[in-house]
Amino acid sequence: MRDTHREFKDRLYGQLARLGKAIASPHRLEIVELLAQGERTVDSLATEIGLSLANASQHLQALRQAALVESRKDGLFVYYRLSDPDVFELSKVIRTVAERRLAELDRLVHEHFGNRADAELVPMDELLKRARSKQVVVLDTRPASEYVAGHIAGAISIPVEDIQRRLKELTKGKEYVAYCRGPYCIYADRAVEILRAHGRRARRLGQGFPEWRSAGFPVSQGAEPGGVR
């Protein structure tokens, strides 16, 4: 009986270790966080991360073999998506533990983003209250395709590269909260910097769209019905 139980434990933890092995790669962790924004083709993932198509495909196959991603074919293109919302939760837990336990991560983030104290990061619950009362305009600074796949309900899509061109639409009398893919995405920081440089009141959401959706806050899909308000 004892030998049978030992065999069970070995096989059990072997299955759990499959997940750890599947995400034990910087590129695969990034792929998971990108797919948390919405499904993507192999080509777009390869371009985003700076990999060859063959290398990106190998990483996706490793994730697929561990049942962390799924795929569908549409014409000549193969689209990948997370197999379950908990896959993003897994990557978020890894990030949270790293933030708490790895001093090197804190140094790395500070070197890249500087002191974010001036950015006045907005907590998700505060944004929810202020957005509902129409006190702020919420800006989604991710690529438009990611906005269409899913976004904070009521948010306006203005990709960060379009902020400068569309400043006239963003009047000085309002307050803006920008968000993007997550806490280490630079899009919202750049948007806030541009807006403030042009006399707008702007802050960034402390988290990103996947964290907002994971918390159960209101989300929408599709393009804005009437363009920018």
Side-chain angles (χ1 to χ4, degrees):
M1 178 68 178
R2 188 170 182 176
D3 290 344
T4 302
H5 186 63
R6 181 68 265 157
E7 181 183 353
F8 162 74
K9 283 295 188 72
D10 289 343
R11 294 175 66 185
L12 170 70
Y13 289 111
Q15 289 299 307
L16 297 180
R18 288 179 61 194
L19 302 185
K21 183 178 180 181
I23 59 176
S25 157
H27 291 315
R28 292 199 285 272
L29 279 171
E30 186 174 2
I31 286 172
V32 167
E33 296 211 347
L34 286 172
L35 292 180
Q37 315 298 324
E39 65 177 10
R40 303 277 292 261
T41 64
V42 182
D43 301 61
S44 68
L45 287 168
T47 300
E48 179 88 28
I49 302 175
L51 298 174
S52 67
L53 282 175
N55 203 343
S57 294
Q58 288 175 355
H59 285 301
L60 286 163
Q61 288 308 309
L63 291 169
R64 188 175 185 177
Q65 288 168 8
L68 297 178
V69 301
E70 298 173 341
S71 64
R72 67 176 181 88
K73 193 168 184 180
D74 186 1
L76 299 176
F77 298 98
V78 177
Y79 289 84
Y80 282 85
R81 61 182 178 272
L82 297 184
S83 59
D84 189 285
D86 282 343
V87 177
F88 170 70
E89 295 298 322
L90 176 61
S91 72
K92 189 170 72 171
V93 168
I94 292 173
R95 188 178 71 207
T96 299
V97 174
E99 289 169 344
R100 292 176 179 172
R101 305 303 304 167
L102 300 180
E104 181 58 32
L105 177 65
D106 185 61
R107 287 193 294 270
L108 179 65
V109 172
H110 188 272
E111 287 174 3
H112 187 70
F113 289 97
N115 185 358
R116 275 177 157 179
D118 292 340
E120 301 180 69
L121 302 182
V122 180
M124 291 192 294
D125 55 352
E126 178 187 335
L127 179 59
L128 179 64
K129 293 176 184 176
R130 302 195 69 191
R132 282 177 170 172
S133 62
K134 307 297 183 182
Q135 293 179 329
V136 297
V137 177
V138 184
L139 301 180
D140 187 317
T141 62
R142 301 173 301 158
S145 60
E146 295 179 16
Y147 175 91
V148 171
H151 55 269
I152 292 177
I156 294 170
S157 174
I158 303 187
V160 64
E161 65 268 19
D162 294 339
I163 291 283
Q164 192 86 33
R165 178 175 59 83
R166 297 175 61 179
L167 274 172
K168 290 182 179 180
E169 302 173 36
L170 307 174
T171 60
K172 291 185 179 181
K174 297 181 179 180
E175 181 178 359
Y176 301 93
V177 175
Y179 74 90
C180 51
R181 292 170 171 167
Y184 303 134
C185 173
I186 197 68
Y187 297 155
D189 291 77
R190 289 177 176 168
V192 169
E193 183 181 354
I194 294 169
L195 289 169
R196 287 184 171 184
H198 289 83
R200 274 68 170 178
R201 291 179 296 151
R203 296 191 289 167
R204 73 156 286 161
L205 182 65
Q207 301 293 323
F209 173 68
E211 290 83 5
W212 176 276
R213 179 172 54 193
S214 174
F217 293 145
V219 300
S220 297
Q221 290 181 309
E224 300 165 50
V228 176
R229 295 185 298 277

